Amino acid sequence: MELHPVDGVHLAEAADWPAGRAYACYQAGLIYAAFGQFAEGLDHLQRGLDLAIRIDHRQWIAGAHSCLGEAHVFLLEPGAAREHLQIGLAMALDVGSSWWAGSGTGSPLAN
């Protein structure tokens, strides 16, 4: 059985689970970006961020910003990377998410 990055998105949609869909979108986006499919990756990352904002899931907003920052690092876009990483780090610290705080501080661009 072959799996695709968007399989999680489809499962979360079928379960009518907006928080799961937001998480799956930005994780799928990071996978696409990591494999050089940047247009698809940025689209999914942005959709995940937009949904996380819409449902006010602050930890997933932090995660989506962190992942968008990583994608912009892949694209050699330090300005956009820094912006997303700094927002993600600030939000992670605000909600007490050590996972996303650690992820956001992993890049020198976050500081």
Side-chain angles (χ1 to χ4, degrees), residues 9-111:
V9 177
H10 298 308
L11 288 171
E13 286 172 347
D16 193 27
W17 182 27
R21 190 167 132 229
Y23 179 82
C25 274
Y26 72 74
Q27 289 297 323
L30 189 57
I31 292 167
Y32 280 122
F35 284 93
Q37 297 178 13
F38 296 113
E40 188 81 16
L42 290 174
D43 178 59
H44 278 85
L45 285 160
Q46 189 62 53
R47 286 195 291 154
L49 175 59
D50 292 344
L51 181 54
I53 290 169
R54 198 170 27 232
I55 64 173
D56 196 31
H57 196 304
R58 297 184 55 78
Q59 185 165 345
W60 286 176
I61 295 169
H65 275 294
S66 293
C67 290
L68 272 160
E70 288 183 51
H72 285 288
V73 168
F74 299 154
L75 288 165
L76 304 177
E77 297 174 340
R82 176 174 288 134
E83 180 180 344
H84 284 293
L85 290 168
Q86 288 176 337
I87 293 169
L89 175 58
M91 293 197 76
L93 294 172
D94 186 53
V95 299
S97 173
S98 58
W99 175 264
W100 292 117
S103 179
T105 59
S107 171
L109 294 173
N111 300 312

